[in-house]
Every structure is written in C-alpha cells, then in structure tokens.
Amino acid sequence: MSWFENAHNSRSKASRKGGFARLMPSRESLEWAGRWTLRVLFSALFVGAILGSIEVEKRICQDDRFFLENWRLETGVLPEWVTPDIRTEIEGIHLCGEGGPLSLFKPRVLARVREALEGTQWIKKVRDVQIRYPTFERPGVLGLELQLRRPVALVEQGGMYYLVDSEGVRLGLPYAEAPTDWFGVPAILGIPAPGVLPLPGERWASRDVLQGVAVAKILFDNGIQKDYPDRPIGAIDLTNLHGRIAQRESEVVLWCGKQRLAWGRSRGSESPRTATTAEVVSNLRKVLSNFDAYGHLAVIHLHRRPEALTGVRG
C-alpha cells in the first residue's frame, strides 16, 4: 500500500474516532438526563393517579347504591308501647339531603343523618348508627339505636285523640277512640281553649293543653300508671280549669274508673295551691294502694294536706 493510501486511511480512522467522541454525551449529562426523565415519569404517574382517583370518586358518588335514600333503616328492639304502624313509620323515614341525594361519601354524612332523624316527630335522640354496605343484590342498611319521644297522654281535640309527649309535642296520627290501655297513658279531656291543632312533631301552643300535659308528666315521672296497673288513671279532666264552672272546686280532676280524684290546681295556675305536688302525689298513692278504705268514695280531695285528706260518698 502506498504512503498516500496509508495516510488517507489514518486520517479517516482518526476522523471517525474524533467524530464519535464529539457525538456521545458525557457521563454527567447522561446522569442529569436520567434524573429528569424519572422526575417527569413520576410526575406523570402522580397526575394520572390523581385524575384516576377523581374519576373513581366521581363514579362512586354517582352510584345509586350509595345514596342513603335507597338504604334500609333497622331500628332493632323498640319499647313495648310502639305499635307496628309506628315502627313502620320510623323505618320508612326518607333520608335525603337539602341539595339532592345524600351520598355515603359526602362530608359529615353521619352527622347529617343524625340531624335529619332527630328532626322527625318520633325520634328524640340517635344514640348510635351502624353501617352495612350495599352489594349488587341488596341495599345498604343503617342500624339505628334510638331514644324515642315517649307519649305521656292523649289530647282530646275535636272528637279525636292525639298522642303528646312530656314537652307538649304532638306524635303520630289521631285516634277515633282513646287507646289509653295500649299506651298506658291518660286522656286529657274538657280542655277549655285547645287552640290550633299542631302538625305531627310540633308543640301545642295552648296554655290549657300544656297544663294538662304538666299533670300527665308528673304521673309518668312518678310511675303511677306502672305501679298501679289495676287502678289506672284513665283521664285528666280540665273542664273546671281556671274555675270556669265552680271557683271553689278543683280545677283538675283525675278519673280512676268512676271515681273522681280532685288534683287541685295545675302548676300553670295563677291561683294558690293548698298542697305541694309531692303531697298530692303521696295522697294519690295512698288512695290507689288502699281501695278497701277509699273505694266507696265518689270524690277524693287529693289537693288537701295528708292529715286532712277527705272524700265524698257517691
């Protein structure tokens, strides 16, 4: 091979080596590029995960299975006085948010459920809520532990009877006949001014009604109906409230069978009373416990001092 060819081949070889060296990046450049590639990759994965989770959350929140209005309420054991109709009414409460369906995944959803339930007429307090999630075959279930509003009397108004609790709140639908035996409460009769009939869950505004309720609450709190089931108080008669029939006679009368038990004046009366509430209750217990001694009397004056307890033969 000639000198010219050798020289040409040497220059071509050097040129190729030199060109290759100039085209390859340095090690530092490769490391820098690798780090940024990983950052971009992880950023893309993070954004994708967020977008995916938002889409999943959106789909779940729109899933009818998680709308509480489609769930079933279970109340468990309820008090003996609760009728099948009342249980059905409670378990049929419709749960729905103000702005539309109430999803299980909405913020404060259980707190809102409690507020909604405690705003209904029968439920005074929600003590506990347990969740059973829905499946494709069955709806979700809210297991409730409840404290119900307990009726203490029946208010007679317009020929119908309405359950009322100790706060004067009307409960449930009216009855054509007073179910005093079932609920173990007296009927409040002869109300001079019952006022406007409240809607279920609303409180009576009538002062006269509330005076009768105050007497019923005393009977309930002292366990009179429970302690004397054979001699129940069937009615609280307010016919003479405010002394409108006879000024000197008892304003409130309890009916025990055909026997009238003169209670005296209610707590809301502006007139003075001759005996304390505790003394009246003590007299009532004495009378109900001793039928042989008091059974022959048509009227018994519970509002007298214990040592002056008297009655009228019938």
Side-chain angles (χ1 to χ4, degrees), residues 119-122 149 169-172 198-203:
T120 61
Q121 59 174 320
W122 286 109
R149 289 187 175 273
V169 175
R170 177 190 158 186
L171 303 172
L199 295 173
E202 294 183 353
R203 190 171 185 262

Side-chain angles (χ1 to χ4, degrees), residues 292-311:
D292 293 339
Y294 297 98
H296 64 288
L297 300 175
V299 181
I300 301 176
H301 302 116
L302 302 177
H303 58 296
R304 305 279 174 83
R305 297 288 180 181
E307 63 274 10
L309 182 64
T310 60

